[in-house]
Amino acid sequence: GTRTSHAPTPYYIAFIDEAGDPGLNTVRPIDAVGGTEWLCLSAVVARAKYDPDVVNWVRSILSKAGVRNRPDLHYRNLADHRKRIVLNELTQLPIRGFVLASNKKNMRRYQNMRAERVRSQQWFYNFCLRLLLERVTDFCYRHASSERAKDRFLKIVYSERGGHSYAQTSAYQELLKMQAKGGALVLTKRRIMWEVLDWRLAEPASHKNSAGAQLADIVASAFYQAVDTLPPTKWNNEFAKLLMPIMARENGSCMNCGVALQPTPPWKAKLNDEQKQIFEFYGYKFIPEKWRAPASGSPTSV
């Protein structure tokens, strides 16, 4: 018989979850009723050796936050004082956080002709996931390089949601990989670092049964609450700010690495002042440099 090829042993593990929905047909606030204005995809990355500890991390967080009646951690069920405890505990863990916050206003009814055979929600989810994975794999690649280590692979655990085909997501990634090899990749500023990815190291997990997915939910939901100013969300960016110590950095800044805003450049998103705050906190600027007014009171010429 043929020998099945065994997946390599992972060195990193990334748990992925989302807040908001990927629907594009109608988008609030353009449409009175419709899909969420935002889709936030998050990843929590740790060394794979910690995988067996993640369940205990979550148990300990639940206990410190005084959550007695539930076995799983769910951001939206937490009162504010508990959210504070949970987020502070999260920043003590040996993990790195990533979030890709996509404002969907400019994507409303967008048709990706090449992808239309695939349901648009799946296409948009895959597109956002790719942007997130470009940052996550780059981080793992740089981390491995800094330790001069080769063959360090990343295992990906997706939090299962209704309506997604994870097989399709894997197929999409294989397609990207082939395009990358053939040099036909569009959007070349960043790329997924295939050097650390092996498609056999990807699996869906249910939110309830995956402690790692619950950690990723905290990151996605805290940022979602910081960017979504439409009811029923009770807008508050205090919690996403508490995640600062663990959000991934590149050249000392979280901007466009651990915290990424889509679309680019940032002013294209046409955000309101409340929505801008969390991105400014993480290093974004919303005024094109040449339009920047001199600070009040300062002389315009030296």
Side-chain angles (χ1 to χ4, degrees):
T2 53
R3 214 160 51 86
T4 53
S5 55
H6 290 289
T9 307
Y11 186 86
Y12 306 101
I13 186 163
F15 300 99
I16 292 181
D17 196 21
E18 79 241 33
D21 69 67
L24 297 178
N25 286 339
T26 55
V27 173
R28 298 171 66 206
I30 299 170
D31 302 287
V33 178
T36 56
E37 182 181 355
W38 293 89
L39 174 64
C40 291
L41 274 190
S42 70
V44 164
V45 178
R47 287 181 180 83
K49 69 176 183 189
Y50 290 121
D51 194 18
D53 304 328
V54 179
V55 169
N56 287 332
W57 291 351
V58 169
R59 267 195 206 125
S60 156
I61 289 172
L62 285 166
S63 135
K64 288 200 168 121
V67 179
R68 306 258 180 274
N69 52 347
R70 327 181 43 95
D72 58 336
L73 188 53
H74 229 317
Y75 184 87
R76 51 159 200 268
N77 299 331
L78 297 169
D80 284 2
H81 70 283
R82 294 209 162 100
K83 282 180 184 168
R84 262 170 231 124
I85 296 167
V86 165
L87 291 159
N88 281 315
E89 288 300 313
L90 208 60
T91 61
Q92 310 303 308
L93 298 173
I95 58 178
R96 281 288 169 264
F98 294 81
V99 71
L100 183 279
S102 178
N103 183 286
K104 291 164 21 189
K105 291 196 302 281
N106 72 324
M107 297 296 290
R108 178 177 174 266
R109 306 220 171 129
Y110 179 84
Q111 302 271 303
N112 178 327
M113 289 314 169
R114 281 184 300 186
E116 270 312 298
R117 282 162 300 176
V118 182
R119 291 195 317 286
S120 71
Q121 290 201 358
Q122 176 83 34
W123 165 79
F124 186 61
Y125 173 87
N126 286 348
F127 171 74
C128 292
L129 179 65
R130 167 199 180 164
L131 297 177
L132 180 71
L133 286 181
E134 284 174 355
R135 285 152 182 80
V136 171
T137 57
D138 185 64
F139 180 84
C140 294
Y141 181 79
R142 281 186 290 124
H143 184 269
S145 302
S146 73
E147 298 186 355
R148 295 201 162 85
K150 282 196 166 49
D151 297 329
R152 281 196 176 170
F153 289 99
L154 168 70
K155 177 181 180 177
I156 297 171
V157 180
Y158 302 97
S159 179
E160 259 182 317
R161 297 283 169 137
H164 286 323
S165 151
Y166 292 93
Q168 240 183 56
T169 294
S170 292
Y172 170 72
Q173 283 166 12
E174 278 299 291
L175 174 72
L176 286 179
K177 191 171 181 173
M178 284 172 3
Q179 285 177 343
K181 281 193 176 136
L185 206 54
V186 206
L187 291 180
T188 48
K189 187 156 180 257
R190 278 184 188 267
R191 67 175 180 94
I192 290 178
M193 303 304 274
W194 302 106
E195 295 86 340
V196 297
L197 265 197
D198 184 305
W199 61 270
R200 291 166 300 183
L201 292 175
E203 61 187 40
S206 75
H207 181 93
K208 219 176 189 56
N209 299 330
S210 168
Q214 291 164 38
L215 296 180
D217 162 71
I218 300 294
V219 176
S221 301
F223 274 92
Y224 188 82
Q225 189 176 6
V227 297
D228 192 55
T229 52
L230 298 170
T233 303
K234 290 184 174 68
W235 176 77
N236 187 339
N237 62 23
E238 172 200 349
F239 308 112
K241 287 177 179 175
L242 294 175
L243 288 168
M244 180 79 136
I246 58 163
M247 298 311 284
R249 293 161 183 264
E250 192 174 36
N251 304 323
S253 168
C254 297
M255 182 190 75
N256 203 22
C257 176
V259 178
L261 168 64
Q262 201 36 40
T264 52
W267 49 89
K268 259 198 186 159
K270 297 189 168 66
L271 302 188
N272 64 40
D273 290 342
E274 282 155 344
Q275 290 170 330
K276 284 176 186 169
Q277 287 174 22
I278 192 62
F279 297 106
E280 290 171 336
F281 179 81
Y282 280 101
Y284 276 86
K285 293 180 167 60
F286 284 88
I287 305 169
E289 290 301 321
K290 60 176 182 290
W291 303 116
R292 192 163 292 237
S296 57
S298 68
T300 46
S301 59
V302 178

